[in-house]
Amino acid sequence: MQSSWKFVRCTSAVSFFCSPLNFLAVSTALTNINAYSHCASSTKHLNPPLRCIAASLHSPLPSSNALSSAFPGSSATSFLANIQATSFFLAEKSDTLNAHSVLSSGSTEIEAASEDRKQGQNFAEERGASMLSVRINVTGDIADSLAESLMCFGASSCSIEEATVDEFQEKEMFSTGPSTWEGQTCQLWDQDVFRPVEVASGLWIVPRWCVPPDPAAINVMLDPGLAFGTGDHPTTRLCLRWLHQNIKGGEHILDYGTGSGILSITALKIGARKAAGVDIDPMAISSAQANALINNLDSCKLQVFLAASNEDNPPPFERFKFDIVVANILMLPLLQLVERITNYAKPGGRVAVSGIVTDQVDKVVASYSVHLENVHVWEDDGWACVSGTRKV
Amino acid sequence: MSKGVKEKQIGALIRLVVNAGQAKPAPPVGPALGQHRLNLMAFCKDFNARTQNIKPEVPMSVTVIAYKDNTFDFTIKSPSTSYFLKKAAGIQLGASRAAHETAGVVTVKHIYEIAKIKQSDPDCQYMSLEAICKSIMGTARSIGIEVRRTLD
């Protein structure tokens, strides 16, 4: 009996109130039958399983109370009455035994969805043309007759589709142009995905909402928001390890392309005296400042500057000032800014750049060898970090 | 497939068009990938790093395979043929009534250059250069770009 599964999709044009809500599957709908007893009365003549299905069509919402509160001036009952009027199963026909037997055997699943074109309209007043559609998962040998029965009951159209177990449903998303993303409404960082990570022995990067696994180690608390730098990425790890090796204490650090501020803040925690961060993204500036506060570093320890994304208006640093310069950006900006980045380091100061893939290493090394000596390349997982000492 | 490699379960396939070097966690990339719980920042950084050798603002087509364990792989394909043709002809939009009106002109040399770029695309590897050229000429016809031997 078990042949391939098919979807039977029935639609019917309904003029009723728009609802942006999705309907429930049968299992949850069954629990709502009691709440909708006023609908059930009209379907008394149906066989029990069909009535269940009908009730599920009548009960598109978790509770009518939710509906009333969501849509003031609610016409919850009239809403349901409208659906009722178009229910597929309002007929005395009992020769829909095929459907009956299928449904009673419990081998079907039903999803009903309402597609409406106009959202957000005043629920009580407007009527918009909308399609009520139900998706029924049945075995293949029954699909044809079920489809015919549904058409008899008043469905506008019925289509049979092959059901695949993991189907990829194509959804098109169009960009409405560059828009700022309200960080508050979107949770960028899934709390499970971002976990404490030990980048070097005794150095942990811990999300703000987690407890440090090793309280004795150096723990940097971080909430990156929309800026880059959680400690996960190989380039961040490379730079952090490099900093861990090269900071002896009391240095003045420049972090070019600071992102969430992770490199500067870690450097300060390891023992640097002062840090300055530069980024072209205002989100990064606010994120770095916020993270500094979380780690109890005030603004005189970490200063962040917003740089223009073209090369004008360099940040107000003197040349040859910093002991350590670290830049984790991308190859193109690194090549464009090579002079600026290396000039900020004082003679004999250390410079490290990352954010480059191993294929791009040669170009970067060639460009930076003009200004740096003792150039060394570190690699991790396809990404690389180039470090050197500024020529005197 | 060695026995030691565990096959990862594919969660979703996402096709995006992103400007080279300009992937940001903002929409449309953000929600499209974020809803599959992927590490957005890692994707943006990776994508930007790999498209560094391409002029910015060129729309690249990316296919991201998201696995069920929240990791992902992505392949970057060359920009669309219509984009190349429009650049070559120097126009912004194709013809509104293709085959009835001509929006621009390209030469066969342009077609050849575009075909050479397309040849490195994984989907076109099995085609001969001539076949790729023919397919590009078909695209040109569909957006109202005329192909001539020389521009006089």
Side-chain angles (χ1 to χ4, degrees), chain A residues 4-51:
Chain A
S4 63
W5 285 78
K6 306 231 189 246
F7 275 126
V8 176
R9 187 194 293 272
C10 335
T11 57
S12 111
V14 174
S15 59
F16 75 115
F17 307 112
C18 310
S19 160
L21 304 167
N22 280 328
F23 294 3
L24 304 167
V26 169
S27 53
T28 47
L30 288 175
T31 62
N32 290 327
I33 288 177
N34 294 332
Y36 297 93
S37 54
H38 59 281
C39 320
S41 57
S42 64
T43 60
K44 254 186 272 188
H45 51 282
L46 295 177
N47 292 311
L50 288 178
R51 205 184 309 160

Side-chain angles (χ1 to χ4, degrees), chain A residues 166 168 170-171 173 175 179 181 188-190 192 226-228 232-233 235 328-333 355 357 360 383, chain B residues 10-13 15 25-28 30-32 35 37 39-42 45-46 48-50 52 54 68 70:
Chain A
D166 283 344
F168 293 138
E170 273 201 21
K171 275 166 65 169
M173 304 183 66
S175 158
S179 56
W181 197 7
L188 177 58
W189 295 106
D190 201 341
D192 298 326
L226 282 171
F228 181 77
D232 274 347
H233 201 269
T235 55
N328 185 5
I329 20 185
L330 294 166
M331 181 186 81
L332 278 181
V357 202
Q360 301 165 337
W383 298 87
Chain B
I10 295 186
L13 200 73
R15 259 172 274 171
Q35 69 187 34
R37 294 157 47 108
N39 193 339
L40 277 177
M41 279 301 176
K45 181 100 173 176
D46 212 334
N48 289 337
R50 286 179 206 287
Q52 285 292 290
I54 299 172
K68 293 233 163 108
N70 297 333

